Amino acid sequence: MKSLFSVFVFACAFACAGCAASDEGDAATLRFDRPAAIWEETLPLGNGRLGMMPDGGIARERVVLDEESMWSGCEHDTRNPGALAALPAIRRLLLEGRNAEAQALMYERFTCSRGSDDPAYGSYETLGSLVLEFPGIDTAAVDDYRRELSLRDAVATTRFRSGGTTYGRRYFVSRADDVAVVELTADRPGAIDVAVALSRPARAATTVAGNLLTMEGTLDSGDPAIPGVAYRVRSVVEAEGGTTTECAGRVSVAGADRVVIRWTAATSYRGGDCAARVDSLLAGSAGHSVDRLAEAHTAAHRSLFDRVSLRLGDGTAPQAAATTPERLARFAEGADPAFAALYFQYGRYLFISSTRPGSLPPNLQGIWANTIRTPWNGDYHLNINVEMNHWIAGVGNLDELREPLLTFTQRMVPSGERTARNFYGTGGWCAHVLANAWNFTAPAENPAWGATNTGGAWLALDLWDRFLFNRDTAYLRAAYPVLRGAAEFFRDNLVEEPSHGWLVTAPTSSPENGFLVDGSERPVQICMGSTMDNQIVRALFGATADAAALLGRDSCFAAQLRRTALRLPPDRIAEGGYLMEWLEDYREAEPHHRHVSHLFGLYPGAEITPGRTPELAAAARETLERRGDEGTGWSRAWKICFWARLHDGDRALRLLGSLLTPAVGPDGGHGSGTYPNLLCAHPPFQIDGNFGGAAGIAEMLLQSHDGAIDLLPALPAAWLEGEFRGLAARGGVEVDCLWRDGRVVRCTLRSRAGGEFAVRAPGEKPRRVVLAPGGEETLRFGRR
Ligand code: FUC
């Protein structure tokens, strides 16, 4: 009986994989015809807290495990007692145009006492691996190998035949039950032999008791007086049929019909008893069939994922059956628009899988790390990266998944107030470039890149942008103190520069580019009033004043911010026709630098638009031409957003092609672009480009930052047919849109809060729509 049941379950598990390729669910699938040879071919699964990346190995499978709060380090003192005293001299040097000397003094005096190399700064660390060894499988005789990740199900599968048996594996990290599951099946009774182990390269003690594997340890806090984060991961191995024994630190199963491995993990990061939490989660999921767990998980995942659908092309997606690396390799040929839709949905999938209310926001690698020290400590860089991580959340209709960024920022405020006081001698709060799970806000150890002090302001603007999308006053009330404190810092810290009397940030930099002065070829970064800072501070003052007005508070403060904003430097166009990156038209040290910070005002900001500021938009275009289309993964993603905002769909698509360049070269070396598993390559893997790239695709189809809902503002000639449903626009409205021959046929608006909306479509007269709360209206265009 059992073996028949097993065959039935196996058949069901793979039934979906055979559905018609035109079905959207099936099209939203990553496919591979071999096991992952490198980590960047493994399939990322996650429920926002726990992550898992199976490699689909035939005789030995390694599944990388992650937990979002595996942070070494601790909250520590970053003060530098001499910094505040040096500030007037640094400012004086800048006002006298002696930037190189100002920078030298900053290196000497104006950096934090303990930077990102200090163990106390910490790093996001992998949880370890689940290692499965299959002694009975003949690796020489394997055929029909298939490995897939369904984005709608949030389930990965592996299937292959060996020695006349078809083996199947199914993996998911349950969003509903907070446990991860690996199921092993076979179409022949008693065919499964497997040894299961947990491992971690450092700070791990593993024990086995019957069918239970436990691994636990404590991470390095970097301070002997402070306990590090303790973690525990526990796995239960349950077999149908066969025999289960414990041997040499592993659970071994021989001759089973089916094996189900459940694991979960917890840490002490937020306090509480992690051992008890792990046991209660495992107990809560015990006794449920894998199908029932998978069903609950997929339903929870789809409640977020299914809010948006996107079809690009006529829906036949002839390439959908090809493997993902094959489609990636051919994307630039232009015949596979459905792959762009897949990539867009993958961005939403990754966002859903790497954060959830109550967790940390996605870090530089989301939640997926396979080493003890993750590149750049897997932290939260504030000069583009963590903000880019959230660009898909608004338009991608995932509002509640922005909650972790609010909590993260709120937690930084007390530390940012100390930094404001200790380094600048003022009120308010600020953060610079580096941030971690321990509320780090100080200027980082290397002023050339670490001293930009608008990091906290940019975070505050992201919180404001969330309000523009959700129009939820209760949320705004919670976010307002963050905005207010950030604005206060700049109100108290701007200095008057001598040439025009403008108020500017000083010291600062334009991330992370340098300029050449005094006939020297040695780049200098430290300056005052970088264009990005001016744009961010202007937007912050405006947003804070608007928020105060909406909440009926702080009218004097708001008026003061509006007045001060008028004295910020305007955006300026250089003689060469490009937007100036600094107050002076310095020669850039790297004309093709990956950051394009001075176009913050184009995207994600809204002060440069082709409609309202055509000269600045033209200068932005020239700036992008000068910067070029290359860059790290995230840099290419940002440029998609820029070109979309400039309403140049073909150029945006060209940049998408650049982002979707295979990152692994024929010699195995890694360059910028996209890995075989579609994770973004800085290199190394950095997830910001996935979220920025997905946001860029959305920006080509729908914009809402310029006083109207713009349909298809940057549609490339290759995407003449398509349809989206459920994208979100600012103003608390969901939008569906169907287009043919590049013209909008029909669009539907659904409003949560009600309101009046202007709708623009290419070649059509603008329309006005008034919706009651919960109201919906469909507009038809043209004479089709
Ligand atoms: C920023 C970028 C780098 C990298 C790092 C994590 O500082 O300039 O390219 O992405 O963050």
Side-chain angles (χ1 to χ4, degrees):
M1 273 302 283
K2 262 184 191 162
S3 55
L4 271 180
F5 175 70
S6 168
V7 171
F8 171 73
V9 167
F10 174 79
C12 289
F14 288 99
C16 275
C19 297
S22 60
D23 169 59
E24 212 220 332
D26 192 45
T29 300
L30 270 54
R31 301 178 203 285
F32 298 80
D33 59 6
R34 65 200 66 183
I38 55 172
W39 181 56
E40 294 83 357
E41 286 172 1
T42 64
L43 299 174
L45 295 156
N47 66 359
R49 189 178 82 80
L50 303 172
M52 165 157 95
M53 296 182 90
D55 68 11
I58 292 166
R60 182 178 195 276
E61 168 142 23
R62 179 178 172 213
V63 185
V64 172
L65 314 182
D66 288 298
E67 199 280 349
E68 55 101 30
S69 61
M70 284 288 286
W71 264 91
S72 62
C74 62
E75 183 148 8
H76 62 280
D77 186 359
T78 51
R79 269 176 305 176
N80 176 346
L84 181 56
L87 185 63
I90 294 166
R91 285 186 170 152
R92 200 174 325 114
L93 288 168
L94 287 171
L95 293 170
E96 289 168 9
R98 293 155 68 188
N99 296 56
E101 287 165 73
Q103 180 156 324
L105 187 54
M106 286 188 72
Y107 268 86
E108 218 177 282
R109 304 278 296 276
F110 204 77
T111 76
C112 64
S113 50
R114 297 165 81 184
S116 64
D117 280 337
D118 192 296
Y121 182 86
S123 174
Y124 179 60
E125 300 188 4
T126 183
L127 180 63
S129 299
L130 181 74
V131 180
L132 312 176
E133 299 202 34
F134 301 93
I137 296 182
D138 179 2
T139 48
V142 169
D143 55 24
D144 207 10
Y145 184 96
R146 191 160 162 170
R147 193 160 64 87
E148 294 183 348
L149 170 62
S150 157
L151 304 186
R152 274 198 77 211
D153 295 348
V155 172
T157 50
T158 298
R159 180 178 67 169
F160 57 87
R161 288 172 56 76
S162 173
T165 304
T166 299
Y167 294 93
R169 299 176 197 160
R170 173 159 62 149
Y171 327 74
F172 56 91
V173 184
S174 171
R175 196 162 191 96
D177 292 281
D178 209 4
V179 295
V181 177
V182 178
E183 180 196 35
L184 314 174
T185 51
D187 67 352
R188 193 171 55 76
I192 303 173
D193 299 335
V194 63
V196 184
L198 287 172
S199 77
R200 188 172 197 273
R203 293 178 178 265
T206 47
T207 48
V208 188
N211 67 343
L212 267 190
L213 289 153
T214 306
M215 182 163 73
E216 53 202 336
T218 303
L219 309 184
D220 180 13
S221 74
D223 183 334
I226 298 180
V229 165
Y231 72 90
R232 170 182 272 217
V233 47
R234 178 164 267 188
S235 174
V236 193
V237 182
E238 286 163 326
E240 279 176 19
T243 53
T244 301
T245 52
E246 66 178 78
C247 119
R250 305 183 302 177
V251 173
S252 283
V253 176
D257 303 332
R258 188 157 77 118
V259 174
V260 176
I261 302 160
R262 279 179 297 126
W263 69 267
T264 192
T267 77
S268 62
Y269 176 72
R270 291 189 181 78
D273 178 347
C274 51
R277 179 148 184 234
V278 162
D279 289 344
S280 100
L281 288 172
L282 285 177
S285 59
H288 297 297
S289 71
V290 176
D291 287 343
R292 141 77 188 84
L293 290 172
E295 225 171 79
H297 157 62
T298 294
H301 171 77
R302 285 189 185 171
S303 71
L304 297 161
F305 188 83
D306 279 356
R307 288 178 191 169
V308 177
S309 68
L310 172 62
R311 167 172 65 78
L312 294 175
D314 60 10
T316 56
Q319 295 86 349
T323 68
T324 299
E326 283 163 358
R327 293 180 79 181
L328 181 66
R330 294 204 308 259
F331 180 72
E333 292 167 17
D336 191 5
F339 194 61
L342 174 74
Y343 186 78
F344 165 79
Q345 287 290 38
Y346 191 47
R348 295 184 64 251
Y349 165 87
L350 291 170
F351 194 67
I352 295 166
S353 304
S354 62
T355 196
R356 62 190 291 144
S359 80
L360 288 161
N363 64 43
L364 284 168
Q365 295 190 175
I367 45 169
W368 297 284
N370 67 340
T371 51
I372 294 294
R373 187 162 182 198
T374 308
W376 288 287
N377 303 310
D379 68 7
Y380 300 90
H381 276 53
L382 305 182
N383 63 5
I384 181 66
N385 316 86
V386 74
E387 293 90 352
M388 184 179 283
N389 279 3
H390 290 80
W391 289 352
I392 187 57
V395 67
N397 208 342
L398 297 169
D399 177 71
E400 61 272 62
L401 300 187
R402 292 173 104 166
E403 188 274 336
L405 192 69
L406 171 66
T407 315
F408 180 82
T409 312
Q410 284 170 325
R411 284 186 51 193
M412 281 169 82
V413 169
S415 153
E417 287 172 346
R418 286 193 295 277
T419 295
R421 226 172 20 247
N422 294 326
F423 285 85
Y424 299 90
T426 60
W429 77 279
C430 71
H432 295 75
V433 175
L434 292 189
N436 61 8
W438 305 113
N439 309 318
F440 188 94
T441 54
E445 65 271 10
N446 193 334
W449 54 262
T452 318
N453 59 24
T454 38
W458 194 340
L459 285 177
L461 282 175
D462 194 274
L463 304 187
W464 169 248
D465 189 57
R466 181 178 173 198
F467 171 74
L468 295 181
F469 275 96
N470 70 19
R471 305 304 296 190
D472 176 346
T473 313
Y475 160 75
L476 185 63
R477 211 166 284 125
Y480 178 71
V482 175
L483 285 151
R484 188 194 152 103
E488 248 179 281
F489 172 78
F490 289 100
R491 179 200 60 186
D492 296 351
N493 260 291
L494 297 173
V495 299
E496 189 177 301
E497 56 79 40
S499 329
H500 304 86
W502 290 325
L503 296 179
V504 294
T505 50
T508 191
S509 63
S510 181
E512 297 180 25
N513 206 0
F515 48 89
L516 305 173
V517 277
D518 305 332
S520 164
E521 285 304 305
R522 231 173 119 189
V524 176
Q525 284 81 9
I526 294 299
C527 65
M528 48 185 187
S530 62
T531 298
M532 182 188 86
D533 277 13
N534 305 334
Q535 295 171 345
I536 288 182
V537 175
R538 193 164 20 248
L540 176 70
F541 283 0
T544 308
D546 286 353
L550 281 160
L551 297 174
R553 296 172 55 166
D554 299 333
S555 56
C556 290
F557 178 61
Q560 188 185 30
L561 293 182
R562 292 203 197 279
R563 273 195 312 275
T564 312
L566 297 174
R567 294 193 57 199
L568 292 165
D571 293 321
R572 285 189 304 154
I573 301 170
E575 270 182 22
Y578 51 87
L579 206 70
M580 280 167 56
E581 183 164 359
W582 297 277
L583 272 190
E584 309 283 329
D585 188 17
Y586 296 127
R587 183 152 71 90
E588 300 109 315
E590 275 186 65
H592 298 138
H593 198 276
R594 61 193 181 286
H595 286 264
V596 201
S597 308
H598 42 323
L599 294 195
F600 172 92
L602 177 64
Y603 188 98
E607 72 178 38
I608 301 174
T609 70
R612 277 185 290 111
T613 60
E615 295 85 12
L616 291 176
R621 174 176 277 271
E622 185 55 29
T623 304
L624 287 169
E625 296 292 1
R626 278 167 60 87
R627 271 306 206 254
D629 288 354
E630 299 294 308
T632 52
W634 61 257
S635 174
R636 298 174 192 207
W638 199 0
K639 289 167 189 163
I640 301 170
C641 301
F642 290 142
W643 284 110
R645 284 271 171 106
L646 290 173
H647 299 171
D648 190 332
D650 287 335
R651 192 66 181 267
L653 181 59
R654 193 162 110 194
L655 263 302
L656 179 61
S658 165
L659 177 62
L660 291 177
T661 301
V664 181
D667 59 353
H670 294 187
S672 296
T674 298
Y675 288 114
N677 60 5
L678 300 191
L679 290 178
C680 182
H682 181 285
F685 159 46
Q686 223 175 268
I687 206 159
D688 36 25
N690 284 97
F691 298 135
I697 293 168
E699 208 63 26
M700 292 160 77
L701 304 172
L702 175 70
Q703 295 179 12
S704 59
H705 61 288
D706 193 19
I709 292 171
D710 278 299
L711 302 170
L712 310 184
L715 192 70
W719 294 357
L720 291 182
E721 314 285 315
E723 179 170 19
F724 64 77
R725 289 191 194 169
L727 287 180
R730 291 174 185 81
V733 65
E734 276 185 10
V735 185
D736 302 343
C737 177
L738 170 73
W739 69 96
R740 275 190 219 119
D741 299 329
R743 303 286 299 266
V744 177
V745 175
R746 157 181 101 222
C747 102
T748 300
L749 305 187
R750 281 181 298 279
S751 164
R752 259 162 287 155
E756 188 174 342
F757 303 92
V759 179
R760 294 191 288 239
E764 305 282 349
K765 281 198 192 124
R767 309 263 187 103
R768 294 208 87 74
V769 180
V770 179
L771 292 175
E776 170 173 329
E777 186 159 333
T778 296
L779 306 176
R780 289 170 205 284
F781 295 85
R783 288 164 183 265
R784 278 159 280 261

